């Protein structure tokens, strides 16, 4: 392990020393493991990211089998892929302020590969407060040959920003939901990230602190962020209400997408994907002509998209089932978003119970709520019922039931009479 760190500077401080001793494993067992690894040829090593996929598998199983805290470092792959497809990180700096095991970075590079881009045009920077998770991330990126800057150590993004004053092109993040105690009561009030806002994010919940931090990092001319938050942030009151109002009035929110329930390994709640865009004016982005979306927000509700289930074997045959988004569904979500963004807005259409484009004036009328259910049309499916026809069907069923009941009663009475004990 020491030799590997010595010849691979990005892994400095990431690998465990004397691991076999802490595992209680024998030297012969460790030797057998090393012999098996040696059987992987150089060709197999590079084959379809073999080692990276093995590492990802173990991360997934560990997250699925762990506690809520254990699972925070891992974001389901389909959600990370969705964020990458939506914000399109073709070139520039990709940043994650709470990078966990590095899944956002891996998917940003995979996005470039899928679309035949050049990996050399992307650089990744991030930060992670948990020391073990910081090491997991460094190993995950090193295994895949992804150059990165995660700082010299693990540290809290809020109290020790390792990339202070750095501006980035893209942000992909899954911050810890509803994080408490992220600062002291009187801490960070003069910090540059929070100075130009009318309210200070509360100590009891860091949701809006993450948003303001990310906005402070985005390039003011073209930066875009895709991240996940608990649904409570859509309607939170107090200081969070004031911040949400200001975010909307400053026109930073581009899209709000509520996701299906039960996608995460350690919680079954539904969460929201936010897209923050520093420039919603007309222009050409990644070869597409976009229209002016000033003071407009796209809302999507995907809670009905919960039919696709993935089974993960976590221990001795024990399985955990989770909802996943398929590649086809991700393509459909991206298509709706791109059609809404594009100059051919006529291609886009509001779809009941799925998506709605909403002007800021209407959001003001709804008291700055960002809950899609406030805006997306709901269909009362009871109105589709032909009541006359349905009642005729029910009447016929009831006649058959009553007829069968009378026949049963008659047969029972006759049976008792046959043995000399009449009951009728």
């Amino acid at each position: 392990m020491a030799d590997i760190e010595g010849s691979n500077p990005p892994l400095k401080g990431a690998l465990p020393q004397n691991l076999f001793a802490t595992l209680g494993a024998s030297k012969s067992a460790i030797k057998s493991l090393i012999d098996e690894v040696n059987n992987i040829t150089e060709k197999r090593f590079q084959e379809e990211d073999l080692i990276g996929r093995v590492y990802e598998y173990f991360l997934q199983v560990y997250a699925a089998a762990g506690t809520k805290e254990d699972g925070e470092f891992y974001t389901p792959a389909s959600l990370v892929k969705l964020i990458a497809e939506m914000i399109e990180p073709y070139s520039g700096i990709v940043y994650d302020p709470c990078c966990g095991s590095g899944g956002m970075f891996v998917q940003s590079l995979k996005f470039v590969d899928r679309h035949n881009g050049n990996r050399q045009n992307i650089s990744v920077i991030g930060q992670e407060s948990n020391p073990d998770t910081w090491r997991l991330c460094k190993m995950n990126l090193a295994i895949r040959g992804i150059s990165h800057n995660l700082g010299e150590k693990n540290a809290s993004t809020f109290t020790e920003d390792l990339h202070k004053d750095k501006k980035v092109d893209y942000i992909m993040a899954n911050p810890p939901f509803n994080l408490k105690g992220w600062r002291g009561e009187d801490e960070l009030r003069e910090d540059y990230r929070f100075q130009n806002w009318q309210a200070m994010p509360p100590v009891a919940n860091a949701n809006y602190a993450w948003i303001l931090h990310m906005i402070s990092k985005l390039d003011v001319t073209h930066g875009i962020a895709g991240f996940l938050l608990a649904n409570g942030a859509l309607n939170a009151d107090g200081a969070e209400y004031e911040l949400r109002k200001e975010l909307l009035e400053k026109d930073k929110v581009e899209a709000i997408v509520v996701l299906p329930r039960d996608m995460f390994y350690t919680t079954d709640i539904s969460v929201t994907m936010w897209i923050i865009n520093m420039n919603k004016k007309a222009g050409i982005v990644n070869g597409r002509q976009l229209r002016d979306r000033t003071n407009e927000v796209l809302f999507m509700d995907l809670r009905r998209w919960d039919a696709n289930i993935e089974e993960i074997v976590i221990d001795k045959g024990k399985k955990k089932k989770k909802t996943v988004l398929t590649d086809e569904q991700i393509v459909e979500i991206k298509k709706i978003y791109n059609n809404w963004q594009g100059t051919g807005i006529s291609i886009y259409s509001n779809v009941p119970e799925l998506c709605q484009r909403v002007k800021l004036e209407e959001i003001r009328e709804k008291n700055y709520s960002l809950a899609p259910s406030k805006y997306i049309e709901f269909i009362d499916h009871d109105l589709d019922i032909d009541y006359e026809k349905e009642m005729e069907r029910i009447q016929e069923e009831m006649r058959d039931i009553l007829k069968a009941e009378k026949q049963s009663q008659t047969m029972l009475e006759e049976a008792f009479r046959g043995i000399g004990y009449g009951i009728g």
Side-chain angles (χ1 to χ4, degrees), residues 32-44:
S32 296
L33 173 62
I34 293 171
D35 289 343
E36 287 299 319
V37 173
N38 280 337
N39 289 332
I40 301 175
T41 65
E42 186 173 345
K43 181 179 179 182
R44 281 294 312 279

Side-chain angles (χ1 to χ4, degrees), residues 20 47 61 126 143 165 203 262 299 308 317 319 322 327 339 349 367:
F20 74 92
E47 180 183 293
V61 172
I143 282 168
D165 302 325
V203 175
D262 208 19
F299 289 92
N308 299 295
K319 298 178 180 179
K322 287 294 166 182
D327 289 347
N339 285 346
S349 60
N367 201 25

Side-chain angles (χ1 to χ4, degrees), residues 5 7 13 23 27 42 54 68 159 172 187 193 207 209 260-261 315 324 331 334 343 374 392 415 423:
E5 282 193 2
S7 57
L23 287 177
K27 290 182 179 180
E42 186 173 345
V54 170
K68 180 179 183 295
T159 57
M172 301 172 64
E187 197 174 11
R193 294 168 288 183
N207 287 342
R261 291 181 65 94
D315 182 36
V324 297
V331 167
K334 178 181 172 69
T343 52
K374 296 275 188 179
E392 288 178 4
I423 59 173

